[in-house]
Amino acid sequence: MSNHGVGGVVCMTTLLSLGAFLSAHGGSAKSSFTSSAGLSAEASGLSRTGVPDVSAGRGAPAELIIAVQDPQPCYGAGNTVCFTLSMQNLPQPVTGFQAFLQYDPTQLTYQGALSSYTSSPFGLHVQGITTAEIAPGQLNLDGSIDFSIPQPPTNANSLLATLCFTVDAGNDGEVADLLQRVFGPFQTAVSFQGSPIPTTFIASGGILLDEALPTLTCPANQPLQCITELPAPLAPADPNLVIPSDNCASAAVVCNGTYSGSTAGATNDGSTSCGSSSFSPDVWYRFTPGSAGTLTVNTCGVGTNFDTVVSIHSASCPASPQTELACNNDSCGAASQVSAAVVAGTTYLIRVAGAGGATGSYELHVSGPECLAAADNCDPDPVVTWQGDVSDGNTCPETITRTYRVTDIGGNFAECQQLFVINDTIDPVIICPDVLNLDCATPLPPPANTVLAFQAQGGVVTDNCQVASLTMVSQELIRGTGCSASPFFYLRTYRAVDGCGNDRVCKQSIFQWDMFPPTITCPPNATIQCDESSAPANTGSATGTDNCGTPTITFSDATNLSGCLGTGTITRTWRSTDNCGQFVECVQTITVVDTEAPTLVCPSDISVDADTGCDGAVVTFADPAVTDNCDTSPTLVGCVPPSGSLFPIGTTTVTCTAQDDCGNIGTCTFDVTVSNVNNVTATVQLQGVAALSPISRCIKFIAKSGTSCAPPVHVLVNFTGNPATGTATFPVACGEWTELCAKDEQHTLFSTISLIDLGTHYQAAATQVLRGGDTDNDGDVDINDVTFLLFTFGGPEAAGGCPWNGNRGADFSNNGIVFSEDYTFITNNWLQITSCNCSAFAVGTTTEAALAPAVRISTRTLNADVAARADLNRDGFVDHLDVKLFEDARGLPNVLSNRMRHDGRAQSK
């Protein structure tokens, strides 16, 4: 324990070490303090005279002081009280302290969690504050400077610790102390480096424990006729504590009792109407009665030693004769007595002054209605609070219970109750509004179902307490038709009811009739066509208003319609009549005209192809339909150009004209367009192809005459049946055509057939049969087509597009796959050559050229993937030998290979 002060005992090892430490430093294990323990002067290190024993090497004793923190007169059960432990008047620097304390554990319970050491001057505490209670009622406190963190000794006055306790129940009227206890050889002392320094222990007086309840007397119960608000809760007063105020605004609260005071040293704060005291020094009190009655105050006691003037005022400051309720001077000798009627809950001021400026002491007696009075055995000033007002929920009467609570400083409390019984037995007063005369356009004022609405209409309603409700009980129509000779007569009955059901009624008369004629507004003058209706629904109707309802609107006509198709004028007179027979009129003029031309409905635009020969087309059309709004038989003048004319190539507008009986002319137009093309109809058949379900192929058509050809036309033709047959109608460039070529560019050879001139279009003379086998669209079936068959055999057909996109195809059967049936098409059409013969082809070209078909091809001219599939014997050529291997591998007859072999020999000769 070197570097520490004297520590609290934690275990026996600590005790032995501490004794050795004290011996080594010249210390003593004796206690060194004066206290109620009654130790001798020798034991305390003091001489018997109380003078410090210098020969013992000790200075003047230091002080360890126990004091109550924030003391109060008494403490109730559950209150928390804290004590402070301080060191003061140190004769020399110290480095530690220890304190052994005791208390009654049946009175106090130690609260270690609320207790604390101070952080300085002793940063090291050997005994923890939360575990300082080593046994019931026994505390060990121990602290010293922590020399591991260099700190100097101190001789400053310091707070060492705060010790907190909870007050236990069951100790009413007892005193709880916190005292020193004796603990073997150890001392309650401050120390220097382990050596005790003579220390005086000083403990405060004990705290008083209080569980007795305070007392509280409520004001008397009050019957009230009726109120809008209860009297305000009262503030208590204690005659023994009231000190008069020099200022009326801060007057002290008093109740019934006797109060002593003096005006000596006071200033003037008000004036009265009697006794020449308006400029005298004065003092003030405040009185609030719990019920209505008479307040009497006097200074007639033996404690009054000067000529007094006493007055009672309302609570308004500064007090003056204008606020004075009563004033008296010298009713009992030089003393005074005065009385005034007071109302429950209202605050009044009491003024005490001297006649002619006299001052002195007095004894003031207050007698009046009850107010709050509280007392406690321990707390001289218990707190009185208003807890609230609770109604019993009834009415007439209603009982409201007011509860006050008095609480002493220890938390003990008691309550009392004051009852207010509220009732009302007086009827309200009600006077209805004056008689009303109203035009029928003015609605009856709404019933007044509130007091404010009733008063706004001129009524009067009052009650001694308050009007709970005001309603219109009934409204009756007594008589009348609503016209001036017989006005409507209404009678309203109102009832006012107060809060306790007392009621009164009154009646109001209201007269209402039609005071004004109606109004009318004519529709604007109108112009209509001869076929339009002149009824108001078409030409407009007059409108009218009336102050008493909806008027009746009528009209009469004067006509003059002598023009063509019934044109002319109509003069219309409108009348508005109200329910009382009053009316007004206005005039509207309607003009009937015919300005609409006949309506023609032309045929729709016509689009035709040129007739063969291309000089235009003869076009016929029906006459347009003609109608008129008034003329039942309008005249069709005609169309230009007329029907049956030869229309040139291009667009020609036809204009048709009609006229009605009033001379109005109408027209319509439509266009005839002759296209610079001729229609061709052709039927095409795919040789050897069965269309068990519809198939579509892109067919290329070329119209020709000799070697002159129209631009090719590509048509997607739908084929059905067996053989697959389809018909197409398509336009070709306008010309004198004699033949028609047709070809599926992905599969077939050309077919050429004659055209029949039908005047308006061409038609193929017979069905054009297309033979499959031409995969490269060169106009023949040769080794190139066989090579592509071998390359794509077993695979799907390539998409072709329309026009043909150049994708080669060997699916001549159109079943979606290249297989043995497609071999038959090559075999059947081997070395066939066709052409459209539109023009002479340049040398070296192959497009539709009638060049000699090949029967043998070098693989060097083929793509590698094609050569790999087609050159089956790998001799660098695709010829009959490869086809034979192909036929043998697939069980096909050797017809094609034999032909190729034969034709190959023929070509080599």
Side-chain angles (χ1 to χ4, degrees), residues 147-493:
F147 288 103
S148 64
I149 302 174
Q151 294 171 280
T154 180
N155 60 357
N157 294 342
S158 300
L159 173 67
L160 302 179
T162 302
L163 307 173
C164 295
F165 302 84
T166 299
V167 176
D168 296 338
N171 297 286
D172 187 42
E174 299 179 9
V175 175
D177 297 294
L178 186 61
L179 304 173
Q180 173 191 3
R181 69 185 177 88
V182 177
F183 181 54
F186 299 102
Q187 306 173 28
T188 295
V190 295
S191 60
F192 181 77
Q193 295 184 353
S195 297
I197 294 172
T199 304
T200 298
F201 182 82
I202 303 173
S204 65
I207 62 172
L208 178 61
L209 306 183
D210 175 29
E211 294 182 15
L213 301 181
T215 61
L216 180 66
T217 301
C218 269
N221 297 336
Q222 291 189 48
L224 302 173
Q225 176 62 24
C226 58
I227 57 170
T228 56
E229 293 184 4
L230 286 177
L234 304 180
D238 187 337
N240 298 316
L241 297 178
V242 173
I243 299 174
S245 173
D246 187 28
N247 188 303
C248 68
S250 57
V253 176
V254 294
C255 283
N256 296 322
T258 299
Y259 303 87
S260 298
S262 173
T263 61
T267 61
N268 176 263
D269 193 36
S271 59
T272 59
S273 63
C274 67
S276 67
S277 67
S278 293
F279 300 100
S280 298
D282 49 22
V283 293
W284 300 86
Y285 298 90
R286 186 181 303 274
F287 180 85
T288 305
S291 60
T294 300
L295 171 63
T296 300
V297 293
N298 70 78
T299 56
C300 300
V302 296
T304 302
N305 61 9
F306 72 105
D307 187 0
T308 61
V309 177
V310 178
S311 57
I312 300 175
H313 299 259
S314 66
S316 176
C317 280
S320 67
Q322 288 73 30
T323 63
E324 181 181 277
L325 302 179
C327 178
N328 181 259
N329 179 40
D330 301 339
S331 63
C332 46
S336 303
Q337 176 172 309
V338 67
S339 297
V342 293
V343 178
T346 300
T347 299
Y348 300 90
L349 294 173
I350 301 171
R351 178 178 185 259
V352 178
T359 62
S361 299
Y362 59 86
E363 185 177 89
L364 181 67
H365 303 277
V366 178
S367 175
E370 301 86 350
C371 52
L372 289 174
D376 185 66
N377 63 321
C378 177
D379 187 348
D381 189 18
V383 176
V384 177
T385 57
W386 170 58
Q387 298 296 297
D389 298 332
V390 178
S391 172
D392 62 359
N394 298 322
T395 56
C396 304
E398 174 190 12
T399 300
I400 296 177
T401 302
R402 171 169 290 173
T403 301
Y404 292 94
R405 173 178 290 185
V406 58
T407 306
D408 66 17
I409 197 167
N412 305 302
F413 69 89
E415 293 180 342
C416 71
Q417 295 178 331
Q418 179 186 17
L419 302 182
F420 298 93
V421 180
I422 304 170
N423 205 352
D424 178 16
T425 59
I426 301 174
D427 292 338
V429 174
I430 182 170
I431 302 173
C432 272
D434 292 339
V435 174
L436 287 179
N437 293 304
L438 304 176
D439 176 69
C440 56
T442 304
L444 272 63
N449 288 319
T450 67
V451 171
L452 290 178
F454 188 73
Q455 292 172 339
Q457 293 185 12
V460 176
V461 59
T462 60
D463 188 66
N464 61 315
C465 297
Q466 65 178 20
V467 178
S469 66
L470 184 140
T471 58
M472 187 183 76
V473 178
S474 65
Q475 177 177 289
E476 301 176 86
L477 176 58
I478 304 301
R479 62 180 178 272
T481 63
C483 295
S484 58
S486 179
F488 291 124
F489 171 36
Y490 297 93
L491 191 62
R492 283 182 172 177
T493 301

Side-chain angles (χ1 to χ4, degrees), residues 609-672:
D609 296 332
D611 294 342
T612 57
C614 300
D615 55 353
V618 176
V619 179
T620 61
F621 49 83
D623 287 339
V626 182
T627 59
D628 187 68
N629 61 326
C630 295
D631 192 346
T632 58
S633 300
T635 301
L636 176 63
V637 178
C639 296
V640 179
S643 175
S645 300
L646 177 64
F647 286 79
I649 292 174
T651 299
T652 301
T653 299
V654 179
T655 302
C656 299
T657 305
Q659 182 174 332
D660 66 13
D661 191 47
C662 285
N664 299 304
I665 295 175
T667 62
C668 71
T669 62
F670 65 97
D671 290 335
V672 175

